[in-house]
Amino acid sequence: MRVANPPDAGSGPSTIARRIRRIRRIGIVALASGLLYVLIGLPIFVFPATGPLPAHVDVAFVLGPPTQARLDVAERLRRSGAATDVLVSAPGPAVTTFPGLAGCGSTAHLICAAPTPTTTRGEARLLAREAVAHHWTSAVVVTMPAHISRARLLMQRCFSGTLTMAASDEGPKYGWPYQYLYQTAATAKALLTPGC
């Protein structure tokens, strides 16, 4: 007597349909997760809280790289009398490669200094060190919008004075997808590495 082979459990219309449904569900979950990530990131990276600029601060601090858009914000604050001094984070060759930094050191009100290390944490330490040296108790920190939230977190850890954040009008370096991923990873690192 001959026994018939059972149908292969891995083939047939019902198995293919199940695989298609599973792939579709995975795709929907991935798409929904990506959309949620983008929506959660909007107030953090694209439209970060900056608050109104104070009538006066001791220093406008430009985070690196010192782009023209960031330097323009700081210079407007200094010219209007809202900031007494401008501190620029200018690591290494930045002093000679950015035209807006040609005046570094030519006046007591424009200070260019290299952070150690050349990270946002190093820039927070630079602000704290220069604040002690120059007796600054208030600062406006100028950077691109995607960097505001993380920079605020790190500056508050190191600088004990009154802190305000100001966003330049520059677009995101390397585009929004890159900034979302980079700033998320860098913020996670900052949260997991406490202290100044």
Side-chain angles (χ1 to χ4, degrees), residues 58-152:
D58 295 323
V59 64
F61 180 30
V62 177
L63 299 186
T67 63
Q68 196 59 52
R70 296 177 199 188
L71 293 169
D72 289 346
V73 172
E75 186 54 28
R76 275 195 306 274
L77 289 168
R78 194 190 66 72
R79 266 192 265 121
S80 71
T84 304
D85 297 319
V86 173
L87 171 62
V88 180
S89 173
V95 175
T96 57
T97 57
F98 286 93
L101 299 182
C104 279
S106 64
T107 171
H109 297 292
L110 178 58
I111 303 158
C112 297
T116 306
T118 55
T119 62
T120 306
R121 185 178 300 273
E123 290 174 321
R125 292 172 182 164
L126 172 64
L127 175 60
R129 185 177 69 240
E130 293 295 324
V132 169
H134 297 280
H135 309 288
W136 296 328
T137 59
S138 58
V140 170
V141 176
V142 184
T143 190
M144 68 175 174
H147 190 210
I148 290 278
S149 297
R150 181 168 60 90
R152 177 187 295 113

Side-chain angles (χ1 to χ4, degrees), residues 22 45 153 183:
R22 186 170 9 145
F45 306 127
L153 170 71
Q183 295 299 338

Side-chain angles (χ1 to χ4, degrees), residues 14 17 27 46-47 77-78 134 180:
S14 63
V46 182
F47 307 109
L77 289 168
R78 194 190 66 72
H134 297 280
Y180 260 73

Side-chain angles (χ1 to χ4, degrees), residues 3 5 16 18 21 29 33-34 59 79 90-91 96-97 100 115 128 130 133 159 165 172 174 176-177 184:
V3 177
N5 290 333
I16 293 172
R18 277 196 306 269
R21 281 194 301 271
V29 168
S33 298
V59 64
R79 266 192 265 121
T96 57
T97 57
E130 293 295 324
F159 179 66
M165 303 302 290
Y174 306 123
W176 283 115
T184 298

Side-chain angles (χ1 to χ4, degrees), residues 159-183:
F159 179 66
S160 60
T162 304
L163 186 69
T164 306
M165 303 302 290
S168 62
D169 61 359
E170 63 193 293
K173 187 175 182 182
Y174 306 123
W176 283 115
Y178 172 82
Q179 283 302 325
Y180 260 73
L181 295 173
Y182 179 83
Q183 295 299 338

